[in-house]
C-alpha cells in the first residue's frame, strides 16, 4: 500500500517530464494557415487571431510545462514528497517504505540503503592501522532485512553492488554515527525520578513548592501513599548555610505535613524525609552499617536525612508492575530521543530483572540492555546469567554490580585521608571490606563480570588490591572487570587499572558537575581525579556513561563534557579552556568511549559499536557533524533518527 503510494508520487513526478518532451504543437500550427488562400483580408485578420490564439495556447502550455518541471525540481530538491506524505498523514507508510516494517522478531520486510549527501557523512569507526584518531568514513549503508549491515560504500559502489535498491538520501548536513551506548544508567529509576523532579531547585522553598504542586495536582490513592521525589542538591541552594536540610522544613507546610514524603538527593546517596515518614520508620538503630543517620548535634535525634545504606531503614513500599512499566517506558522514550541504542543498567535488582525478562519476552525492548544484577547486601542469589534473551535477543545479564562506597557530593566516597573541606570525615564503605574480599573472587570464579562502584581513592585502591589478587590465573580480556565511576584514583592506581586490564567506566558529566566544589573538597588529590586522558594514556580502557538520572540522559551532554570539560554555557572554574584541560578526551576517544569501547565493556564488540558489514545496524542520524562543529554547538545537536537492528525507533530516515 505504502509502496503504491510512493509510486503514485513518483509517477506524478515523472509525467510532466513526458509532457515536456511532448510539447509538439505542429498540427495546430498548420491549421490557421490553410485559410490564407480563401480570404486574404480576413485571412490576415484571421491569421493574426489564429496566430494569437495559437501563441497563447502554446505559451499557456509552455508555462504549465515549466511550472510542472519546476515542481519536479522542487519535489526533488526539497524532498517535498515527504511534506506531502506528512500532510496526508501517511508517515507510517513512508517509514515502512523506506526501512521495511520490523516484524515481532525484529526482521524487516525488505533491505534498504541510506546515503549522506556528502561522501563521508557516515562515521563507521572501523579501525585502520594503529592510529587511534583515524576516522573511517563512508557515504552509504545497506541494511538487510535481518537488521544487519550488508554493505558500506559510496553511492556509485552501492548502485553497482545493489542495483535493486533505491538509496535514500539523508538531509544535507546530517551525519551518521554508530548507535550510542550509555555504559552506566539507572533506567527505571530515571523514569521514576521524572515524576516528582526536584532538579534545578535553587532553594528549600522551591523544593517545598514543587512537592506541594505535585501533591495538589494529583489525587492521592490514600492518605498513607508515599510521595517520592528526586533531584535536590544543597550545593545549588542560594543563601543556604551548608550541610543537609531537616525534616521540619517539610513539616512546616500544611499540604506536606502528615503524608510520608521521601526526597532523594540528585546522586541518590542521601534521602531527606519528613516527620510522618520518620514516624513510620519506627525505632531506629544507633548506627547503620555502610551508611549514616544524620542526627542533631545537640539532641541526638534524627534530622530526617539518611545516607547510603541507612536509607534501607526507611520502609518504602515496593513499586508495582504498572509503575515499573510506566517508568521504564519513559526511560526508553527519552534515551531513544537522544540516540541511545544500548544501555548498561548499573544496578538491576532481582525484581527488575524479572520485569525486563517479561518485557523482552513480549518483544517490548526497543534498545539493547546489559543488566548488572544487584543486591543491597550479601551475595547475589538472583536469576542465572543469560545472553541474547527474548525474540529480539536484546537482553543480557552477565554482570554483577557491587557498591564499595558513597558519593563525593555527600562526603560519602571512601578516602584515605579526610575531606579537605570537611576534615571530620573521610567517607565510608557501603559493603564491608570483608564482603568485597569474599565476593569479588567468588563471582569471578563463577563466570560473572564484576563491576564495582568506587568513587573515593580508598575505595578504588582497596578494590584494585582485591581485583589484582582475584585476577591471578585469569585472562583479563576474558573477564573484563570494571570499576564504575573510578573518580578519584591515586596516580599509582591509574597505572594499575591499565596494567590489570580493568575497565574504567566513567561519567564525564560528573566532572563538570563536581568541578564547582571538587578542588575545595579534595585539595591536591583532585589532580588525579576525573583523569580520563591520563587513564587512556597509561593504556587503560574506558567506557563512557551518564549515570542517569544523576545526570542528563543525553549522551551528547556526556560527549561535550568529555571533550570540553566546561559547563553548558562554556565556563569552568579554570576558564573557558576547561577544568584541568589536559584531561579532555579527543572527540574520537569520546565517540569510541560510547560506541566501540562501550561495546567491549559489555562483551558486544562483535555485534555493535562499528558500522561495518556483518554487524547490527544500530546507528544514529544527527543533524550536524559532532566531530567538527564548535564544542558548544554539540549541545544543540538534534537526533533525526535512532535505529536499532535496522528499524527506526525514533525519528525518521
Ligand atoms: Zn550509578
Amino acid at each position: 500500500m505504502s509502496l503504491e503510494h510512493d509510486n503514485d508520487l513518483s509517477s506524478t513526478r515523472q509525467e510532466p517530464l513526458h509532457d515536456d518532451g511532448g510539447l509538439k504543437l505542429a498540427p495546430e500550427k498548420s491549421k490557421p494557415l490553410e485559410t490564407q488562400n480563401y480570404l486574404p483580408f480576413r485571412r490576415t485578420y484571421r491569421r493574426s487571431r489564429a496566430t494569437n490564439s495559437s501563441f497563447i495556447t502554446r505559451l499557456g502550455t509552455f508555462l504549465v510545462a515549466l511550472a510542472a518541471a519546476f515542481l519536479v525540481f522542487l519535489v526533488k530538491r526539497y524532498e517535498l514528497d515527504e511534506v506531502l506524505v506528512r500532510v496526508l498523514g501517511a508517515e507510517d507508510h513512508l517509514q515502512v517504505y523506506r526501512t521495511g516494517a520490523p516484524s515481532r522478531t525484529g526482521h524487516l520486510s525488505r533491505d534498504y540503503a541510506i546515503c549522506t549527501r556528502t561522501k563521508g557523512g557516515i562515521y563507521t569507526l572501523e579501525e585502520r592501522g594503529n592510529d587511534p584518531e583515524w576516522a573511517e568514513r563512508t557515504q552509504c549503508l545497506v541494511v538487510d532485512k535481518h537488521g544487519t549491515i550488508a554493505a558500506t560504500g559510496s553511492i556509485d559502489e552501492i548502485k553497482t553492488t545493489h542495483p535493486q535498491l533505491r538509496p535514500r538520501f539523508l538531509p544535507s548536513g546530517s551525519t551518521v554515527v554508530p548507535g550510542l551506548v550509555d555504559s552506566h544508567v539507572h533506567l527505571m529509576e530515571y523514569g521514576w525520578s521524572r515524576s516528582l523532579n526536584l532538579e534545578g531547585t535553587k532553594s528549600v522553598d522551591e523544593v517545598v513548592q514543587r512537592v506541594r504542586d505535585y501533591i495538589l495536582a494529583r489525587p492521592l490513592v490514600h492518605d498513607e501513599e508515599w510521595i517520592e521525589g528526586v533531584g535536590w542538591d544543597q550545593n545549588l541552594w542560594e543563601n543556604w548555610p551548608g550541610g543537609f536540610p531537616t525534616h521540619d522544613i517539610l513539616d512546616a507546610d500544611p499540604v506536606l505535613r502528615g503524608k510520608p514524603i521521601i526526597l532523594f538527593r540528585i546522586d541518590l546517596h542521601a534521602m531527606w524525609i519528613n516527620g510522618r515518614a520518620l514516624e513510620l520508620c519506627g525505632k531506629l538503630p544507633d548506627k547503620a552499617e555502610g551508611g549514616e543517620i544524620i542526627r542533631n548535634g545537640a539532641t541526638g535525634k534524627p534530622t530526617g536525612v539518611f545516607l547510603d545504606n541507612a536509607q534501607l531503614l526507611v520502609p518504602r513500599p515496593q513499586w508495582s508492575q504498572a509503575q515499573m512499566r510506566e517508568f521504564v517506558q519513559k526511560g526508553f522514550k527519552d534515551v531513544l530521543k537522544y540516540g541511545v541504542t544500548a544501555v548498561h543498567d548499573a544496578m538491576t535488582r532481582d525484581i527488575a530483572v524479572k520485569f525486563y525478562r517479561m518485557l523482552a519476552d513480549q518483544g517490548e525492548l526497543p534498545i539493547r540492555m546489559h543488566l548488572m544484577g544487584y543486591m543491597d547486601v550479601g551475595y547475589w542469589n538472583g536469576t542465572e546469567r543469560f545472553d541474547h534473551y527474548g525474540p529480539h535477543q536484546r537482553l543480557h545479564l552477565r554482570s554483577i554490580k557491587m557498591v564499595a562506597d558513597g558519593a563525593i557530593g555527600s562526603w560519602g566516597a571512601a578516602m584515605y585521608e579526610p575531606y579537605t573541606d570537611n576534615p571530620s570525615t573521610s567517607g565510608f564503605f557501603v559493603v564491608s571490606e570483608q564482603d568485597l574480599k569474599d565476593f569479588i573472587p567468588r563471582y569471578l570464579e563463577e563466570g560473572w563480570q564484576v563491576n564495582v562502584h568506587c568513587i573515593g581513592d580508598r575505595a578504588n585502591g582497596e578494590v584494585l588490591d582485591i581485583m589484582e589478587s582475584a585476577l591471578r590465573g585469569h585472562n583479563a580480556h576474558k573477564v573484563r572487570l570494571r570499576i564504575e565511576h573510578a573518580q578519584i584514583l591515586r596516580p599509582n592506581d591509574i597505572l594499575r587499572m591499565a596494567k590489570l586490564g580493568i575497565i574504567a567506566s566513567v561519567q564525564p558529566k560528573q566532572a563538570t558537575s563536581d568541578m564547582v566544589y571538587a578542588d575545595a573538597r579534595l585539595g591536591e588529590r583532585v589532580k588525579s581525579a576525573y583523569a580520563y586522558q591520563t587513564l587512556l594514556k597509561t593504556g587503560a580502557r574506558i567506557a563512557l556513561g551518564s549515570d542517569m538520572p544523576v545526570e542528563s540522559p543525553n549522551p551528547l551532554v556526556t560527549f561535550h563534557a568529555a571533550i570540553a570539560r566546561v559547563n553548558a554555557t562554556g565556563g569552568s572554574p579554570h576558564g573557558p579552556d576547561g577544568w584541568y584541560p589536559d584531561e579532555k578526551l579527543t572527540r574520537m576517544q569520546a565517540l569510541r568511549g560510547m560506541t566501540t569501547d562501550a561495546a567491549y565493556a559489555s562483551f558486544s564488540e562483535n555485534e555493535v559499536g562499528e558500522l561495518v558489514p556483518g554487524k547490527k545496524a544500530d546507528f544514529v542520524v544527527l543533524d550536524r557533524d559532532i566531530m567538527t562543529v564548535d564544542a558548544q554547538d554539540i549541545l544543540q545537536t538534534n537526533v533525526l533518527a535512532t535505529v536499532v537492528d535496522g528499524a527506526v525507533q525514533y525519528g525518521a530516515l
Side-chain angles (χ1 to χ4, degrees):
M1 171 109 182
S2 56
L3 276 172
E4 282 165 25
H5 188 73
D6 192 86
N7 284 341
D8 287 350
L9 280 175
S10 51
S11 60
T12 351
R13 256 187 253 150
Q14 297 301 324
E15 268 164 23
L17 278 177
H18 292 302
D19 278 354
D20 195 14
L23 280 177
K24 306 278 191 269
L25 302 178
E28 291 285 320
K29 249 187 215 170
S30 61
K31 201 177 174 189
L33 289 174
E34 277 173 26
T35 59
Q36 289 178 22
N37 301 326
Y38 304 102
L39 296 162
F41 175 77
R42 288 185 70 184
R43 185 179 69 202
T44 315
Y45 168 73
R46 284 184 63 137
R47 190 172 74 173
S48 110
R49 249 184 74 189
T51 308
N52 277 349
S53 121
S54 131
F55 176 73
I56 288 165
T57 314
R58 273 187 274 162
L59 185 69
T61 320
F62 175 71
L63 287 175
V64 167
L66 194 68
F70 187 58
L71 191 66
V72 171
F73 167 76
L74 284 180
V75 164
K76 291 205 159 180
R77 175 70 182 78
Y78 296 105
E79 302 192 326
L80 293 180
D81 51 339
E82 288 186 19
V83 177
L84 198 56
V85 164
R86 291 206 169 103
V87 169
L88 295 172
E91 283 151 303
D92 289 349
H93 297 303
L94 182 72
Q95 203 57 60
V96 170
Y97 157 66
R98 284 175 185 166
T99 59
S103 71
R104 205 175 158 274
T105 51
H107 286 185
L108 309 171
S109 58
R110 48 180 286 177
D111 300 356
Y112 68 91
I114 53 147
C115 300
T116 53
R117 292 187 185 273
T118 53
K119 284 219 177 312
I122 299 175
Y123 287 89
T124 69
L125 290 208
E126 192 177 1
E127 288 188 53
R128 183 74 62 88
N130 288 326
D131 181 4
E133 287 299 305
W134 175 256
E136 184 71 23
R137 296 161 77 161
T138 191
Q139 185 178 13
C140 300
L141 281 184
V142 177
V143 177
D144 71 18
K145 61 184 177 187
H146 305 291
T148 305
I149 297 167
T152 58
S154 69
I155 180 81
D156 295 336
E157 286 165 343
I158 296 302
K159 276 182 176 164
T160 313
T161 55
H162 296 77
Q164 78 285 9
L165 295 180
R166 193 181 118 191
R168 180 86 213 165
F169 278 98
L170 298 170
S172 55
S174 57
T175 54
V176 176
V177 296
L180 300 174
V181 181
D182 191 329
S183 295
H184 191 115
V185 306
H186 304 277
L187 194 85
M188 202 179 275
E189 291 79 359
Y190 168 81
W192 156 74
S193 74
R194 287 303 180 265
S195 47
L196 170 50
N197 184 3
L198 303 173
E199 269 180 46
T201 42
K202 293 269 188 296
S203 64
V204 279
D205 292 343
E206 201 182 339
V207 172
V208 170
Q209 188 60 45
R210 284 206 202 168
V211 180
R212 204 184 143 87
D213 292 347
Y214 178 80
I215 294 172
L216 295 175
R218 56 190 278 284
L220 294 181
V221 180
H222 54 78
D223 278 353
E224 288 292 87
E225 184 186 336
W226 288 65
I227 293 149
E228 299 190 346
V230 190
W232 58 270
D233 180 351
Q234 81 280 13
N235 293 311
L236 303 179
W237 293 340
E238 284 152 13
N239 304 320
W240 181 249
F244 288 117
T246 52
H247 69 83
D248 46 299
I249 295 170
L250 303 174
D251 298 336
D253 188 292
V255 175
L256 277 62
R257 198 182 307 139
K259 299 174 182 65
I261 295 172
I262 306 180
L263 306 177
F264 286 86
R265 194 180 183 280
I266 191 154
D267 62 5
L268 305 179
H269 287 273
M271 183 194 260
W272 169 25
I273 69 176
N274 70 343
R276 181 64 190 136
L278 252 183
E279 272 170 40
L280 293 171
C281 291
K283 188 165 162 36
L284 290 165
D286 290 342
K287 279 204 157 70
E289 187 76 30
E292 191 180 349
I293 305 165
I294 304 287
R295 291 174 189 275
N296 182 302
T299 64
K301 285 192 174 154
T303 63
V305 171
F306 294 71
L307 304 185
D308 292 287
N309 274 358
Q311 296 179 3
L312 300 172
L313 300 166
V314 179
R316 293 169 67 197
Q318 187 85 256
W319 290 334
S320 67
Q321 289 264 324
Q323 278 176 305
M324 286 196 273
R325 187 176 286 271
E326 180 196 324
F327 299 155
V328 162
Q329 278 169 350
K330 171 73 180 151
F332 287 151
K333 191 165 162 253
D334 284 10
V335 298
L336 282 166
K337 184 171 82 185
Y338 292 126
V340 172
T341 56
V343 296
H344 302 177
D345 198 60
M347 199 186 250
T348 323
R349 289 181 169 81
D350 198 29
I351 182 169
V353 171
K354 290 194 178 90
F355 178 76
Y356 285 124
R357 279 177 79 113
M358 186 193 75
L359 281 191
D361 281 332
Q362 294 167 351
E364 285 184 29
L365 283 187
I367 56 172
R368 296 180 207 287
M369 292 197 79
H370 300 270
L371 310 179
M372 305 180 202
Y374 175 76
M375 279 195 70
D376 295 317
V377 273
Y379 192 73
W380 167 261
N381 58 1
T383 62
E384 293 294 302
R385 283 192 299 280
F386 52 80
D387 241 335
H388 297 96
Y389 184 81
H392 293 162
Q393 308 198 346
R394 291 182 188 152
L395 190 64
H396 314 264
L397 171 66
R398 60 178 300 167
S399 322
I400 279 294
K401 170 78 177 290
M402 294 183 78
V403 178
D405 63 344
I408 180 177
S410 42
W411 297 274
M415 303 295 295
Y416 285 109
E417 302 293 332
Y419 285 98
T420 309
D421 65 346
N422 184 1
S424 71
T425 180
S426 47
F428 48 78
F429 274 82
V430 171
V431 292
S432 74
E433 286 147 278
Q434 194 54 50
D435 277 357
L436 289 167
K437 276 186 191 135
D438 290 345
F439 297 157
I440 291 175
R442 191 166 152 199
Y443 284 131
L444 194 61
E445 290 306 322
E446 289 180 5
W448 292 94
Q449 179 189 33
V450 189
N451 307 349
V452 187
H453 160 125
C454 301
I455 291 186
D457 56 8
R458 184 165 169 213
N460 277 289
E462 296 202 7
V463 167
L464 279 170
D465 289 344
I466 298 167
M467 286 183 167
E468 184 165 13
S469 77
L471 273 170
R472 282 188 199 113
H474 285 278
N475 177 337
H477 168 73
K478 275 203 176 129
V479 296
R480 302 188 194 183
L481 297 180
R482 288 170 58 155
I483 289 192
E484 300 300 314
H485 309 301
Q487 259 176 31
I488 309 154
L489 289 147
R490 301 208 286 197
N492 195 40
D493 286 337
I494 294 183
L495 295 171
R496 274 209 293 170
M497 294 281 295
K499 201 179 108 219
L500 297 172
I502 293 167
I503 299 163
S505 164
V506 297
Q507 299 75 38
K509 181 64 182 65
Q510 280 170 357
T512 60
S513 293
D514 298 353
M515 67 186 176
V516 291
Y517 60 82
D519 288 273
R521 191 150 301 178
L522 299 173
E524 278 297 296
R525 295 168 287 190
V526 76
K527 292 192 173 145
S528 58
Y530 314 91
Y532 313 136
Q533 187 58 256
T534 305
L535 277 161
L536 281 181
K537 272 192 191 139
T538 54
R541 281 182 179 268
I542 58 165
L544 301 188
S546 66
D547 205 4
M548 65 185 268
V550 179
E551 300 290 353
S552 163
N554 182 351
L556 294 183
V557 167
T558 303
F559 183 83
H560 170 259
I563 65 131
R565 291 176 77 102
V566 293
N567 60 26
T569 54
S572 87
H574 298 171
D577 193 35
W579 186 60
Y580 296 104
D582 289 349
E583 295 298 347
K584 284 184 206 172
L585 296 182
T586 67
R587 294 185 195 215
M588 188 49 73
Q589 288 170 333
L591 187 58
R592 287 203 176 277
M594 44 200 11
T595 54
T596 48
D597 294 340
Y600 177 84
S602 62
F603 299 89
S604 352
E605 72 275 16
N606 294 327
E607 280 177 23
V608 295
E610 296 170 306
L611 300 176
V612 296
K615 293 205 176 172
K616 307 280 188 190
D618 287 9
F619 60 89
V620 190
V621 184
L622 305 170
D623 72 348
R624 64 198 73 192
D625 186 349
I626 56 165
M627 304 305 275
T628 57
V629 295
D630 269 6
Q632 290 308 106
D633 253 11
I634 291 166
L635 297 175
Q636 316 308 322
T637 306
N638 294 307
V639 170
L640 303 180
T642 306
V643 180
V644 180
D645 281 323
V648 175
Q649 296 287 2
Y650 169 81
L653 283 180

